[in-house]
Amino acid sequence: MTHIPPRGVEATRATHAAWAALDGAPALLDRLSAVTRAGALPGRLPVGGLARACVGACALAAAELTALRTGGDVPRVLVDDGAVATAFTSERHLSVDGGKPVNFAPLSRFWRTADGWVRTHANYPHHRAALLAALGVPGAEDAVAARLAELPARYVEDAVYAAGGLAVALRTPEEWAAHPQGAASAGQPLVHRERLGPAPARGLAPLTGSPARPAEGLRVLDLTRVIAGPVATRTLALLGADVLRVDPPGLPELVDQHADTGFGKRSATLDLGDRADRRVFDGLLAAADVVVTGYRPGALDRFGLSPGELAARRPGLVVAQLSAWGAAGPWARRRGFDSLVQVATGIAAVEGEPDRPGALPAQALDHGTGYLLAAAVLRTVSEQASRGGTGYVRLSLARTAAWLMSLGAAESGGRCEDAYDGPAPWLTESDSPLGRLRYALPPVSFTGGPVNWAHPPGRWGTDRPRWR
């Protein structure tokens, strides 16, 4: 459906805030329109408004770069709540040869404790093993439940973390605001952007072919896992970038997760501790335009991959960094996932009932941060075309959560033009090396831009580690 409602419908506080966080020119917001739909991503918090704003900002950054590379006007951007809601729940809609996806393992859920609630994350085998070791119980759900019922929630949080696992105690918004990590996250900008050093202006060749893919010619080294980082790089791949994801060979990705976020990309494995593999990686880095990392802050520093070292080795690079809790504060180096950040920051308390915590209608912190991260990369590339420099952008799920909480329940998103009656209009199917895929179409849309990825995902880790 093509529907461009009157200007102003989309001009919500969230949209303005997202674009301002990216240092975008306010006048370009006039190029953005929205189809708003009742029932898309419903919740007590305005997650639908946040989702629309993140996708809209990303699409507008793509349109801006398109105009820069074509010499024409900035294309019009259309954000449809239906496409956004479907994409923000893409992992639920994915099917491979008709099979249903597995999004959470049995031990990844809420549990009652002696004084409240915790949420655990045990999708990966090593996290599951760490959880069970910390609790000293076998893997049966009833044994885990019985043990957790005996323990205080924050004791569980600390004990499981110390064992290398993932568990977070339920907190109210007020409790998180008083927590040192909550204060550290709140003190950071939604999108941190800076120049790490000088470099010549980036030369951007004119775009060729149709549809217009404004990231065409960019080489993106993807060092991310799970959802937020892969969503960002999946979006850059949609827009024409050559995205190569590199993982350690001994840490395979979950099959459904890889399929959902692998569209348009290639996947290789390299052991950075191996001398031969490291030479291959350094060769990739020497020709990269963008490096996106999704590991804990400092986790890659031992390989010489801190933002400062990357800037010194490859002037003119765009370094994009994503984390769960942020770059500062006592939890900065802790692992985290969307579901756990919701629990810590008070979102689960707000979305729940008096006797049980709840959750957002999507892993919106992951998806929203992913689109903002892609937008930050695109805006930095646009600026480098005239200003040069090495760009650095940094986002975190916890900071996105703080932004969502600050929007308040009144952020409605304007007049509803239609209803969201389910994902069907925004799903499609294709064959792939993994089998027959059903998947969500990308929500990033602008006039003359792509409507789908150039190719489906392949098998994890099976591509050669080289640029096209």
Side-chain angles (χ1 to χ4, degrees):
M1 166 171 139
T2 301
H3 181 190
I4 300 179
R7 291 186 182 184
V9 169
E10 77 290 343
T12 64
R13 188 156 51 96
T15 303
H16 279 286
W19 190 238
L22 295 161
D23 300 315
L28 290 185
L29 286 167
D30 286 344
R31 306 300 296 169
L32 190 154
S33 299
V35 175
T36 57
R37 297 179 185 274
L41 299 177
R44 292 193 175 99
L45 292 168
V47 63
L50 175 140
R52 186 190 309 116
C54 293
V55 170
C58 185
L60 194 55
E64 177 187 38
L65 183 56
T66 299
L68 183 65
R69 299 189 66 178
T70 62
D73 293 334
V74 174
R76 290 199 63 82
V77 169
L78 179 67
V79 183
D80 191 310
D81 278 0
V84 171
T86 303
F88 266 56
T89 52
S90 62
E91 64 275 10
R92 301 179 198 170
H93 304 305
L94 174 79
S95 70
V96 181
D97 290 332
K100 293 184 178 180
V102 177
N103 294 314
F104 287 103
L107 298 187
S108 296
R109 64 178 180 85
F110 286 109
W111 308 85
R112 284 192 181 274
T113 64
D115 61 351
W117 292 87
V118 295
R119 183 154 188 169
T120 55
H121 197 287
N123 285 5
Y124 289 99
H126 57 294
H127 291 157
R128 180 180 185 275
L131 171 66
L132 297 175
L135 299 178
V137 296
E141 288 186 70
D142 56 354
V144 173
R147 179 61 177 147
L148 287 172
E150 300 171 346
L151 301 171
R154 297 191 188 182
Y155 171 85
V156 173
E157 178 180 89
D158 292 337
V160 173
Y161 167 71
L166 292 149
V168 171
L170 178 70
R171 289 174 172 82
T172 65
E174 295 75 20
E175 288 171 332
W176 180 244
H179 191 281
Q181 190 59 46
S185 297
Q188 296 296 309
L190 176 60
V191 180
H192 175 96
R193 302 177 72 234
E194 65 175 289
R195 294 179 71 192
L196 292 179
R202 180 186 291 276
L204 293 171
L207 291 181
T208 60
S210 179
R213 297 183 187 267
E216 178 183 293
L218 295 179
R219 291 172 167 172
V220 178
L221 198 53
D222 179 0
L223 309 179
T224 70
R225 294 179 68 81
V226 196
I227 296 178
V231 163
T233 52
R234 180 182 71 182
T235 303
L236 296 174
L238 168 75
L239 298 171
D242 180 8
V243 179
L244 179 63
R245 174 167 162 170
V246 177
D247 285 287
L251 198 60
E253 185 58 279
L254 302 174
V255 174
D256 289 340
Q257 203 156 260
H258 169 68
D260 179 50
T261 59
F263 285 90
K265 301 192 259 185
R266 293 176 297 123
S267 169
T269 61
L270 289 171
D271 180 358
L272 298 187
D274 176 84
R275 187 172 300 177
D277 278 8
R278 183 55 194 264
R279 284 197 298 269
V280 174
F281 180 85
D282 287 344
L284 293 170
L285 178 60
D289 299 291
V290 180
V291 175
V292 185
T293 69
Y295 294 83
R296 291 167 294 156
L300 298 176
D301 290 5
R302 69 186 188 277
F303 299 116
L305 300 178
S306 69
E309 289 174 293
L310 286 170
R313 295 173 61 184
R314 179 73 170 147
L317 194 67
V318 179
V319 181
Q321 196 175 59
L322 170 78
S323 65
W325 305 106
W331 285 16
R333 291 179 179 259
R334 288 197 179 194
R335 297 176 181 88
F337 295 94
D338 181 305
S339 58
L340 302 182
V341 176
Q342 289 189 40
V343 172
T345 59
I347 290 174
V350 171
E351 292 289 343
E353 302 299 332
D355 62 339
R356 186 174 182 85
L360 296 174
Q363 295 192 71
L365 307 181
D366 265 332
H367 287 272
T369 307
Y371 288 110
L372 284 179
L373 187 66
V377 169
L378 296 168
R379 288 244 54 250
T380 302
V381 169
S382 292
E383 291 178 353
Q384 286 178 326
S386 59
R387 304 178 190 174
T390 301
Y392 175 44
V393 300
R394 185 177 70 229
L395 293 88
S396 74
L397 304 187
R399 185 60 186 84
T400 302
W403 178 44
L404 174 61
M405 297 288 279
S406 74
L407 292 175
E411 176 74 9
S412 66
R415 184 176 70 253
C416 285
E417 302 290 333
D418 212 332
Y420 180 62
D421 294 324
W426 300 280
L427 297 176
T428 191
E429 294 190 4
S430 72
D431 292 319
S432 79
L434 304 174
R436 183 71 178 174
L437 299 181
R438 184 194 67 181
Y439 61 95
L441 288 165
V444 173
S445 175
F446 58 93
T447 302
V451 297
N452 205 341
W453 289 274
H455 62 84
R459 297 189 180 279
W460 179 86
T462 56
D463 291 299
R464 295 184 65 183
R466 66 182 185 184
W467 298 115
R468 292 192 189 278

